[in-house]
């Protein structure tokens, strides 16, 4: 279930409903067929409406968000479309579709996937050299490791190098207990994106809890990459790919905050 919002997918017969939701988004661009975009409060959420009619997800479910703030994020993407509708410019809509069409049907599996990242978390694997990088990781990643231990009792073991270090079950259980506060389709869909793009469930929880901002999470996830660029120069193509990934993470973060607006 990695790469929850990847741009390309397998054949439509794929049994994974998350992947099917992705595939269904890869349709030829349609011409814009509406003029007005709005939202409509209903008993079970806030719907996005085009010319007064509700929008459907690729699986023909109602595009309905948990809060007015979240619905407005999606509505703003529909308003911003030109003569054609380009899903590539609608990351929040794509994520909402995934939450409704896929994550809602397998909340436990998505939750467990995030927890698995904690068992092999980026922040737990520190470099053996050079010393400057070792010290930077210890200083910047260490404060997040210390935070998750003090805030949630999740005491992770650090390793030097890339050899797998099994984490104490108590640490995994404590992390899962903290993550369970966000066990809803929209929250998990957003947090899964943050996790897969950063490689760190611990950074994801730190974002969810408000300990770290989005730019801080992104910088910590790319600490090694930034250190390399400082010493060997910038790869412009890699920077462009990184900027695109940040757009996806930022959209997920904004949707998460909007869903939590009245929580």
């Amino acid at each position: 279930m990695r790469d929850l919002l990847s741009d390309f997918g397998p054949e439509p017969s794929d049994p994974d409903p998350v992947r099917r939701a992705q595939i269904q988004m890869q349709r030829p661009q349609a011409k814009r067929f509406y003029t007005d975009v709005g939202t409509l409060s209903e008993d079970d959420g806030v719907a996005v409406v085009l010319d007064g009619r509700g929008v459907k997800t690729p699986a023909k479910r109602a595009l309905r968000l948990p809060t007015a703030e979240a619905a407005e994020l999606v509505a703003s993407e529909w308003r911003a479309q030109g003569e054609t509708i380009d899903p590539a410019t609608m990351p929040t809509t794509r994520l909402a579709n995934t939450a409704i069409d896929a994550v809602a049907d397998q909340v436990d599996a998505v939750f467990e996937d995030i927890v698995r990242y904690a068992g092999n978390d980026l922040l737990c694997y520190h470099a053996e050299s050079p010393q400057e990088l070792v010290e930077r990781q210890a200083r910047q990643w260490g404060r997040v490791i210390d935070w998750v231990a003090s805030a949630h009792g999740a005491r992770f073991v650090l390793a030097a190098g890339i050899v797998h270090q099994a984490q104490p079950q108590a640490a995994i259980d404590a992390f899962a207990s903290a993550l369970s506060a966000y066990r809803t389709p929209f929250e998990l869909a957003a947090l899964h994106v943050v996790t897969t793009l950063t490689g760190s469930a611990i950074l994801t929880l730190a974002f969810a809890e408000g300990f770290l901002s989005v730019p801080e999470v992104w910088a910590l996830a790319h600490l090694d990459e930034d250190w390399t660029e400082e010493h060997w120069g910038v790869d412009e193509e890699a920077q462009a790919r990184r900027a695109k990934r940040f757009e996806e993470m930022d959209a997920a973060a904004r949707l998460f905050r909007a869903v939590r607006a009245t929580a």
Side-chain angles (χ1 to χ4, degrees):
M1 204 178 306
R2 309 294 180 182
D3 303 323
L4 195 63
L5 290 179
S6 63
D7 289 333
F8 301 94
E11 292 299 318
S13 59
D14 193 281
D16 185 341
V18 174
R19 304 298 288 168
R20 288 203 303 272
Q22 296 170 354
I23 296 165
Q24 289 171 318
M25 286 300 296
Q26 307 308 316
R27 296 176 175 176
Q29 293 182 14
K31 289 188 177 297
R32 178 167 176 162
F33 56 89
Y34 57 89
T35 301
D36 181 67
V37 181
T39 61
L40 179 64
S41 294
E42 300 176 339
D43 291 340
D44 51 355
V46 183
V48 177
V49 294
L50 307 178
D51 294 335
R53 300 182 63 181
V55 181
K56 297 293 186 181
T57 68
K60 307 303 181 185
R61 299 176 180 178
L63 182 55
R64 189 178 293 118
L65 288 293
T67 66
E69 291 84 352
E72 182 56 33
L73 285 178
V74 173
S76 67
E77 293 183 340
W78 287 88
R79 291 191 192 100
Q81 297 304 299
E83 293 183 359
T84 59
I85 301 171
D86 182 3
T89 65
M90 305 171 76
T92 310
T93 301
R94 299 202 315 272
L95 182 52
N97 285 339
T98 299
I100 295 167
D101 287 351
V103 179
D105 294 333
Q106 50 176 9
V107 166
D108 289 348
V110 177
F111 178 88
E112 290 164 6
D113 199 43
I114 297 174
V115 173
R116 276 193 290 273
Y117 269 87
N120 195 36
D121 202 279
L122 169 73
L123 300 194
C124 295
Y125 292 87
H126 291 216
E128 298 178 279
S129 64
Q131 189 61 29
E132 179 186 347
L133 177 59
V134 171
E135 292 174 355
R136 186 179 299 188
Q137 289 175 335
R139 183 174 62 255
Q140 297 188 24
W141 287 356
R143 74 183 185 95
V144 187
I145 293 294
D146 291 343
W147 166 79
V148 76
S150 62
H152 297 292
R155 294 175 172 81
F156 289 91
V157 177
L158 306 185
I162 60 174
V163 177
H164 176 67
Q165 169 65 59
Q167 294 297 332
Q169 189 60 47
I172 299 299
D173 291 345
F175 176 88
S177 178
L179 185 66
S180 65
Y182 313 105
R183 202 172 184 133
T184 68
F186 279 90
E187 290 169 296
L188 286 179
L191 294 181
H192 191 278
V193 170
V194 176
T195 303
T196 56
L197 289 176
T198 62
S200 172
I202 298 174
L203 285 178
T204 297
L205 183 62
F207 155 72
E209 299 274 298
F211 180 72
L212 294 175
S213 67
V214 171
E216 287 174 327
V217 167
W218 196 243
L220 289 171
H222 294 83
L223 186 151
D224 291 5
E225 183 179 314
D226 288 342
W227 185 90
T228 299
E229 290 184 347
E230 289 172 15
H231 292 80
W232 302 99
V234 175
D235 182 329
E236 293 185 359
E237 291 186 3
Q239 282 289 318
R241 290 192 298 271
R242 176 169 162 177
K244 187 63 178 177
R245 293 196 306 272
F246 178 78
E247 290 178 6
E248 295 288 345
M249 194 186 87
D250 187 54
R254 286 186 288 110
L255 181 60
F256 177 83
R257 291 298 185 211
V259 168
R260 297 284 297 174
T262 57

